[in-house]
């Protein structure tokens, strides 16, 4: 499945969240990631994030049937070198 993940973590944990997400997905902008994941890897990613999350942190995961069902338009500075979509 194709996944877009967005997180909002306290600045004390943001680097940990960044490093966890980069193990599984492609970083595209600040706290935004995208990429293909198996159900198993999505499960692992979610569990790793849960271990560092506190009460005010949040993660939103968009699951898509495939990356070809998304039209991405980039305006302004492109942060990532990977233009997957």
């Amino acid at each position: 499945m194709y996944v877009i993940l967005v997180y909002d973590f306290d600045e004390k944990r943001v680097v940990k969240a960044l490093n966890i997400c980069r193990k599984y997905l492609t970083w595209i902008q600040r706290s935004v990631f995208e990429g293909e994941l198996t159900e198993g890897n999505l499960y692992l990613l979610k569990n790793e994030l849960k271990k560092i999350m506190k009460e005010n942190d949040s993660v939103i995961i968009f699951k898509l049937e495939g990356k070809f069902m998304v039209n991405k338009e980039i305006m302004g500075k492109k942060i990532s070198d990977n233009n997957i979509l």
Side-chain angles (χ1 to χ4, degrees), residues 24-42:
Y24 298 93
L25 297 166
T26 301
W27 173 71
I28 58 170
Q29 185 175 355
R30 305 283 185 247
S31 59
V32 182
F33 297 81
E34 65 182 8
E36 293 280 345
L37 279 182
T38 63
E39 286 288 341
N41 279 341
L42 179 58

Side-chain angles (χ1 to χ4, degrees), residues 1-7 17-28 31-38 41-42 45-46 49 59-62 80 82 84:
M1 86 187 75
Y2 197 76
V3 171
I4 298 171
L5 182 144
V6 181
Y7 67 73
L18 171 73
N19 290 332
I20 291 169
C21 291
R22 289 181 91 173
K23 288 188 337 188
Y24 298 93
L25 297 166
T26 301
W27 173 71
I28 58 170
S31 59
V32 182
F33 297 81
E34 65 182 8
E36 293 280 345
L37 279 182
T38 63
N41 279 341
L42 179 58
L45 170 59
K46 288 165 58 174
L49 289 172
V59 175
I60 301 171
I61 300 171
F62 299 91
S80 172
N82 298 321
I84 294 176

Side-chain angles (χ1 to χ4, degrees), residues 54-71:
K54 301 291 183 197
E55 184 176 311
N56 292 324
D57 298 333
S58 68
V59 175
I60 301 171
I61 300 171
F62 299 91
K63 299 182 210 176
L64 299 100
E65 294 299 317
K67 68 181 178 181
F68 301 108
M69 299 178 77
V70 177
N71 183 11

